[in-house]
Amino acid sequence: MDNDFLRQASAAGLTQIALGKLAAGHAGSSDVKSFGERMVTDHTAINVDMAKLAGSKGKQLATSSDPDQQQIISKLGEMTGADFDRAYSDTVVKMDKNAQGIYELEATHGEDADIREFARKTMSTLKEHDSLAGSLPLF
């Protein structure tokens, strides 16, 4: 279970970083650009902390986004302006809900106490992202 969590969570983090970077160049709204920058900053920090934890446990993280996430990155990479803003906002809300589920499962049922605690602590950041995403303007 812990291995699955680390792989899924790190892949999701890499996807959020890639999408956040896209927002900097493709978004039409300054709110979306700012949110994307926040996602890059936060998920980079989360993945750095996760890498340290995984290394201390002899566990491996994902080295790239999952194939379905790669398709989403590619699709959004072809969009700009309001089309990008709308698709990015919708995607981030869905991904945040999915990530919260992954972290919640690990926080309550994970086998390793340190990994469980990491998941529990990180959930507050993910919930904040969800709240921020929900406050983005409707496009």
Side-chain angles (χ1 to χ4, degrees):
M1 177 169 192
D2 296 333
N3 290 335
D4 287 343
F5 164 74
L6 290 170
R7 191 202 58 74
Q8 290 175 1
S10 60
L14 292 170
T15 301
Q16 290 286 15
I17 292 165
L19 291 173
K21 288 178 179 179
L22 280 178
H26 293 250
S29 162
S30 61
D31 290 334
V32 173
K33 286 181 182 186
S34 294
F35 180 79
E37 291 168 0
R38 170 76 183 268
M39 297 299 281
V40 170
T41 300
D42 288 356
H43 282 282
T44 297
I46 289 168
N47 276 12
V48 166
D49 290 345
M50 192 182 320
K52 289 177 188 173
L53 177 60
S56 74
K57 302 289 182 177
K59 310 269 187 199
Q60 296 292 317
L61 298 181
T63 57
S64 64
S65 301
D66 289 340
D68 59 328
Q69 295 167 340
Q70 283 288 355
Q71 288 180 340
I72 293 168
I73 294 166
S74 295
K75 180 181 170 188
L76 271 91
E78 297 171 2
M79 298 177 177
T80 58
D83 289 337
F84 176 87
D85 295 349
R86 189 172 20 265
Y88 176 73
S89 297
D90 291 345
T91 299
V92 168
V93 168
K94 290 175 189 170
M95 290 186 77
D96 279 347
K97 295 288 185 202
N98 185 48
Q100 285 181 48
I102 292 167
Y103 277 79
E104 176 86 28
L105 185 63
E106 179 64 24
T108 56
H109 299 293
E111 297 162 2
D112 183 285
D114 296 331
I115 298 173
R116 262 194 333 266
E117 179 61 14
F118 169 81
R120 188 194 63 71
K121 286 186 351 188
T122 305
M123 282 176 36
S124 63
T125 301
L126 299 178
K127 288 178 181 178
E128 185 179 353
H129 290 169
D130 189 41
S131 175
L132 291 170
S135 68
L136 288 173
L138 297 175
F139 301 100

